[in-house]
Amino acid sequence: MATSPSHPPNALDIIAQPLTLPCGLTLPNRLVKCPMQETQAEAPWFDPPLSTFKNLYSLWAKSQYGLLITGQVQIDRRFFSIAGDVCCHEKSPEPERLQIWKEWARIAQKDGTPCIVQLAHPGRMSPAGAGIRPKDMRTLCPSEVPVELGDTWLDKMALQSVLGTPKAMTIEDIDEVVGMWIRGAEVARDAGFAGCQLHGAHGFLLSQFLSPRTNKRTDEYGGTPEKRMKLLKRLVTEIRERCPRPYCLSVKLNSADYMDKGEGLEVEEGLEQVRWLRECGMVDFVEISGGNAEQKNSGLHNSFGTKTAERAKKMNESTRIREAFFTDFADKVMAMPSDVPVQLSGGFRTRTGMADAIYSRSCDLIGLGRSAVLEPELPRKILLNPEYDDEGALAKSHIIRGQWLSKAIPVKVIGGGLPIQFFYYNMRRLGKGLDSDPDISLLGIILMGIYETLFSGVLQTLQRIVAGFSSNQASGRVKVA
C-alpha cells in the first residue's frame, strides 16, 4: 500500500482485507472473535448448550468477524477450569451427540464466517467441583508444583481447599491427554468446524509443560527448553496427521509468564516456542497472549479500571499507536522469516489502533475478547462500517463499576476473580437473547448470583469466582482463553 505522510493509510481498508491461511482457508477480514468461557453447559456431560448458543453464536455469526474461535472446550470431564465449560468427552463422537456439535458448527458459520474450536485442559488450575473429578482426585501438572496466590494464611487455606497440590503426571497420564486432544480435534472436524486451536497459554496444562516454573521434570518431557516443548510438538504433529489440510490448526501461546525474573517462562524462550510453530509447516496461525494466575509484574490484572480514550487516534507514517498488550513481543515474532500469520489479542479498542498494528507489521490478525461481549456486533456496526470515521470507530470502555468490592475481600483468590464476573454475567445475558448490561456493578452481579444460587447451587458460583481470578491475572480480559 503506497502512502506518504500527507496521505496516511486507510484504516478501514486495512482491517477489511481478506487473509488466506496456509491451509487454504480465506478469512474475509482481519478481525477475530477471541475464545472465551461461556459457562453455560450443564452437567453431567457438558455438551454444547444449543438452547443458549443459538442466541449467542447467531449473534457473533452475523457480526462480520473474519474468524470465530469458540469458547474453551475442555477435553476431560474431570478437569474443568470453571463450572459450565463445554466438554468434548468419550461419548462426543457418537452420532446422537455429534449431531449437537454439527448444529453448533452450523449456527456459528451460517453467515459465512469460519469458526474453529479451542481445545483446553486446565491442569493444576482446575478448581474442586468445576468438573466431575472426585474430591480425593488431585489435579494434574507436569510436576508437583502448587499454585501460589497471595501471602496470607487465608489465601493459602483457600488455595489448598480449592486447588490443592497437583499430581506429577506419569507417561501414561500424558498419553491419555494426548488422546483426548486428538479426539477433540477429530470431533471438531467431523462436526463441520473449520479447525481447532490448542490452548497453550494462561497457565493451563500445555503452558505448564512449556514453563520452567511448573515443569521440573528430568525425563523426555522436561529438563531443557527443547524437552519442555515435546508435548506441544507431539500434539501438533499427531493432530495434523489425523486432520490434514484444509483443516485449520492454530496454537495459542504465552509470550511470557510475567513473573519475577527466573521464576517462569521468559520472553527469549517464548520466542523459540513461537519460532518452531511458525517454521514446522503444520500450523496455520499463532495467537499471542501472555501471563498466568501467579504473575506479578505484567500490569494486566489492573486493566479493568484503566481509563481509555473517548476518540481514536489518527494514523500516520511516523508514530505508532501501540494499543495492544503484547506488541513488543509480537514485533519480534513478526521479524522471523515465516508466512504463518500471527494473531495479537488484548487491548485493542479502536479501528486505527487495529489497522496500525497490521500496517506496521506487528501482527496479521486482531483478536477481540471483551468487546465481543459488550458489543457483539462491533465489527458490522462500527469497525467495518464506513459511516463511522476513524476517530469515532472504537469500542466501549471496559471499566467496571464497583471494583472497590474486589479490593475489599481479603482472600485474593476470590476478590481478584470478581471483575471477570462482569463479562461472564453479560455473556449469559446474550445467551438468553438479552443485550449486554455495561452499567451493572460488581455488587449487582453478586446479588444476582445469590439469587441464581437458589436454583443452581452455591458451589457453581464459587467456582466461577475462583476460576475468574486466573482469567483476570493471566490476560487482563475474558478467558481469552
Side-chain angles (χ1 to χ4, degrees), residues 316-446:
N316 60 59
E317 292 290 320
S318 59
T319 305
R320 302 273 68 91
I321 295 176
R322 316 289 282 186
E323 277 187 349
F325 292 142
F326 307 107
T327 306
D328 290 343
F329 183 84
D331 286 343
K332 296 176 182 178
V333 170
M334 292 292 285
M336 300 174 183
S338 173
D339 294 326
V340 175
V342 172
Q343 175 183 327
L344 187 55
S345 304
F348 287 111
R349 279 197 60 229
T350 69
R351 176 196 288 163
T352 53
M354 299 171 196
D356 187 83
I358 296 170
Y359 181 76
S360 63
R361 295 291 296 149
S362 289
C363 64
D364 302 289
L365 295 166
I366 304 295
L368 301 176
R370 297 179 191 174
S371 296
V373 179
L374 296 185
E375 298 175 275
E377 296 184 81
L378 179 67
R380 181 179 65 84
K381 287 187 173 181
I382 297 177
L383 297 178
L384 298 173
N385 185 350
E387 294 182 6
Y388 283 82
D389 62 21
D390 285 351
E391 290 185 61
L394 73 166
K396 293 178 180 177
S397 170
H398 300 148
I399 296 174
I400 300 172
R401 295 175 56 201
Q403 292 193 72
W404 60 267
L405 182 61
S406 174
K407 299 174 183 178
I409 295 176
V411 183
K412 188 175 182 181
V413 71
I414 295 177
L418 284 180
I420 203 70
Q421 301 308 309
F422 173 84
F423 295 96
Y424 291 145
Y425 170 80
N426 277 305
M427 208 153 3
R428 291 194 293 273
R429 284 183 61 88
L430 296 176
K432 295 174 183 177
L434 305 172
D435 292 334
S436 291
D437 180 3
D439 297 319
I440 192 168
S441 68
L442 289 182
L443 180 59
I445 292 171
I446 291 296

Side-chain angles (χ1 to χ4, degrees), residues 93-149:
E94 297 178 359
E96 183 177 353
R97 283 198 160 86
L98 185 60
Q99 189 58 42
I100 300 174
W101 285 77
K102 289 181 177 179
E103 179 62 12
W104 184 16
R106 186 197 67 79
I107 293 168
Q109 299 175 119
K110 66 183 179 67
D111 289 292
T113 298
C115 181
I116 65 174
V117 176
Q118 188 189 70
L119 301 172
H121 190 302
R124 69 176 186 152
M125 298 305 300
S126 177
I132 65 166
R133 68 180 170 97
K135 293 181 179 180
D136 60 350
M137 178 179 287
R138 293 199 286 169
T139 57
L140 300 178
C141 189
S143 305
E144 196 172 293
V145 181
V147 177
E148 295 181 8
L149 293 172

